[in-house]
Amino acid sequence: MKFAKICVIGLGYIGLPTASTFATHGIQVLGVDVNQHVIETLNRGEIHIHEPGLHDVVKKAIQSGNFKAVAKLEEADAFIIAVPTPFKEDELGEYNGMTYKLADMRAVVSAAESIVPFLRKGNLVILESTSPPRTTVDLVAPILSHSGLAAGRDFHLAYSPERVLPGQIMRELIENARVIGGVTPESAQAGSDLYGTFVKGQIIQTDATTAEMVKIMENTTRDVNIAIANEFSRLAEKFGVDVWEAIRLANLHPRINILSPGPGVGGHCISVDPWFFVEAAPDLTTLIHHARFVNDTQPHFVVNKVKQALGDMKDKKIAALGLAYKPDVDDLRESPATEVVHLLQKEGAHVKAWEPFKPDASLPGIHMVGSFEETIKDADAIVLLVNHTEFRQLNPSEVARKTKSRLLIDTVNGWKDEAWKNAGFDVRVLGVGKIRVA
Ligand code: SAJ
């Protein structure tokens, strides 16, 4: 199948890289978003999110005349839905005394509804948003049928998960293998033809529900693996062991690859997607549910560590370094670092936070300051919450001159103890239950 014009609905971390990459590969792309600010920013050739390499591609896409951001759809050969699927903020499910989060599918529903008036025979619709199993066939297909056309008979419908890693999206979008799950083999073929425009990795066709499950299985596996690393960090502290050294030694085994503990799991993917399985089958997801619980409670473990070091936290001044959900990105969504800050404040501490990738961000209930210097100046303790390269590269003696604090709590193993100790700091590292040997 040939594609001259497509609509990409949702211009966020996935939709924008996808839309602009299609445009730089010769397809006319209408990028549709509900946010007027996003539309205006993009049409000026600027971008509203930080992702290495994205700005260049968007500029090229606009200059080529192939890309335009708009508020309303038009007729096209294909429609790609790339909107968020967060969880509901005000409602929880419960199974066997344990609560679980519920998917909020409103954005997918309204994106599908917006396609209905423009859907024509022979079109292709692709859902890219990570969604609970069976969303394509049980939620999207029935909405699209309001057009009077049937999925698989009159138009093609497929699910194709994005699998790109924030920070490396522009490269992975092109190089990663792509799974395309069609409601019919012809739909999968049409999806392959479309992504074949720029994907250099393998394109594998399957059915829609398998493709949905593949995506959630990938992120769930990573969540469970991080949960065990976090649990090991708790055990190591109890047994007087350095978990980082223990993991390094365990990983010398040819079939073991333990991930890294930290302050918890954040972002819009790994901390969200496993709930899609739990919600869909709470009776079959004991391990997945417990892994979520471990990762969601890791910020409490961090706060206990700060408390052990600092004693009563009432009116103590704490500098929080990093609020992003992981190193070297500007994405603050579902960030465990922000959860740690909230919990420290609940203990009575006064927290100043510094996020170099989003210095102007404002987060409800969090005191974000405009510079690193101001954050640490009169702190009683400095807590490293994200392993940003620029934090790792800090010079300990320079930091010592800028702060009155001599206590560091490192939750990501970012600071080499010796240098910081030599500069006069007491360094407490998450998962280290003994004084480290140099
Ligand atoms: N984290 C740890 N320890 C680790 C690795 C990660 O605590 O050893 C934490 C991070 O700090 C972060 C969270 O986990 O808070 C998630 O980070 P990540 O780098 O593992 O993953 P994401 O959420 O940025 O991207 C994931 C990727 N999925 C997998 O690696 C299976 C990516 O390929 C997906 O496209 C993306 O989710 C998505 O959009 O679903």
Side-chain angles (χ1 to χ4, degrees):
M1 191 176 164
K2 292 256 176 293
F3 301 89
K5 178 179 174 187
I6 67 171
C7 284
V8 177
I9 307 166
L11 294 175
Y13 283 91
I14 300 304
L16 182 57
T18 307
S20 51
T21 303
F22 271 120
T24 53
H25 285 74
I27 293 188
Q28 198 195 332
V29 182
L30 271 192
V32 186
D33 204 280
V34 289
N35 185 328
Q36 194 55 34
H37 167 72
V38 168
I39 294 172
E40 284 163 15
T41 308
L42 293 173
N43 287 332
R44 279 200 307 271
E46 291 162 25
I47 54 174
H48 59 293
I49 46 183
H50 168 87
E51 176 62 35
L54 175 62
H55 197 181
D56 281 348
V57 179
V58 170
K59 271 195 283 196
K60 274 191 206 136
I62 301 253
Q63 279 159 12
S64 71
N66 276 342
F67 177 74
K68 203 167 73 181
V70 293
K72 286 238 170 330
L73 281 80
E74 290 175 11
E75 283 187 21
D77 301 313
F79 301 88
I80 296 178
I81 302 176
V83 295
T85 45
F87 43 68
K88 294 179 182 164
E89 293 294 342
D90 48 3
E91 199 187 335
L92 290 172
E94 201 190 317
Y95 183 77
N96 261 355
M98 276 177 87
T99 55
Y100 55 84
K101 294 182 177 165
L102 303 166
D104 178 350
M105 300 302 289
R106 280 177 301 182
V108 169
V109 168
S110 93
E113 284 171 348
S114 73
I115 295 172
V116 170
F118 301 99
L119 193 60
R120 300 290 172 261
K121 265 196 164 177
N123 279 172
L124 165 68
V125 179
I126 302 243
L127 176 64
E128 272 212 29
S129 314
T130 308
S131 301
R134 300 195 60 82
T135 296
T136 309
V137 286
D138 288 348
L139 183 71
V140 175
I143 295 174
L144 296 175
S145 71
H146 295 151
S147 61
L149 304 174
R153 188 191 68 195
D154 301 317
F155 67 93
H156 301 299
L157 176 61
Y159 180 79
S160 180
E162 58 77 16
R163 302 153 106 190
V164 288
L165 193 71
Q168 303 180 26
I169 291 179
M170 302 317 288
R171 183 174 61 74
E172 291 204 359
L173 196 60
I174 289 172
E175 289 176 7
N176 286 3
R178 195 167 261 270
V179 175
I180 317 243
V183 296
T184 56
E186 294 73 25
S187 290
Q189 183 58 49
S192 304
D193 294 343
L194 177 60
Y195 287 102
T197 312
F198 66 77
V199 170
K200 294 212 170 75
Q202 209 185 344
I203 299 183
I204 306 117
Q205 297 181 24
T206 182
D207 66 88
T209 308
T210 301
E212 289 164 349
M213 192 152 166
V214 165
K215 170 68 193 187
I216 316 172
M217 278 166 49
E218 290 167 359
N219 281 354
T220 300
T221 301
R222 196 153 168 87
D223 197 43
V224 172
N225 285 336
I226 298 170
I228 201 153
N230 283 335
E231 204 153 277
F232 288 153
S233 73
R234 301 176 190 186
L235 289 168
E237 290 203 5
K238 181 176 169 76
F239 299 129
V241 163
D242 177 338
V243 78
W244 305 92
E245 175 65 356
I247 289 175
R248 189 179 71 79
L249 299 182
N251 284 349
L252 295 174
H253 185 291
R255 284 174 297 283
I256 297 296
N257 182 20
I258 302 168
L259 297 177
S260 304
V265 170
H268 184 59
C269 310
I270 295 190
S271 66
V272 178
D273 303 352
W275 292 119
F276 294 162
F277 275 147
V278 179
E279 179 180 358
D283 54 328
L284 302 177
T285 43
T286 314
L287 173 66
I288 298 171
H289 202 160
H290 279 82
R292 278 278 72 242
F293 177 76
V294 170
N295 288 335
D296 272 356
T297 53
Q298 190 73 349
H300 293 265
F301 180 62
V302 169
V303 170
N304 278 339
K305 189 153 182 96
V306 179
K307 210 191 275 177
Q308 277 166 16
L310 208 52
D312 181 12
M313 283 202 269
K314 183 142 178 38
D315 293 330
K316 293 277 168 53
K317 294 185 181 129
I318 297 180
L321 296 188
L323 287 178
Y325 84 94
K326 69 172 190 176
D328 299 330
V329 301
D330 73 337
D331 191 342
L332 313 185
R333 291 178 298 177
E334 317 300 333
S335 165
T338 58
E339 178 64 10
V340 170
V341 172
H342 286 304
L343 292 172
L344 289 170
Q345 290 176 164
K346 260 198 193 151
E347 296 284 335
H350 300 292
V351 185
K352 284 184 186 168
W354 165 239
E355 175 43 70
F357 282 83
K358 270 237 165 114
D360 304 327
S362 78
L363 287 176
I366 294 190
H367 181 188
M368 295 186 71
V369 290
S371 72
F372 171 67
E373 282 71 18
E374 200 192 331
T375 318
I376 61 167
K377 198 168 51 186
D378 22 79
D380 296 306
I382 299 175
V383 186
L384 177 64
L385 291 169
V386 186
N387 209 356
H388 288 319
T389 308
E390 68 174 82
F391 291 153
R392 268 199 318 276
Q393 291 172 345
L394 285 167
N395 178 320
S397 4
E398 256 175 48
V399 175
R401 279 196 294 278
K402 291 176 178 169
T403 177
K404 79 175 183 45
S405 170
R406 286 297 173 264
L407 177 60
L408 303 180
I409 292 117
D410 174 354
T411 70
V412 289
N413 199 27
W415 286 331
K416 298 286 156 253
D417 302 13
E418 269 319 292
W420 290 92
K421 272 182 205 145
N422 292 341
F425 288 100
D426 172 4
V427 188
R428 315 281 177 103
V429 183
L430 177 125
V432 178
K434 62 174 182 186
I435 303 300
R436 278 180 165 179
V437 264

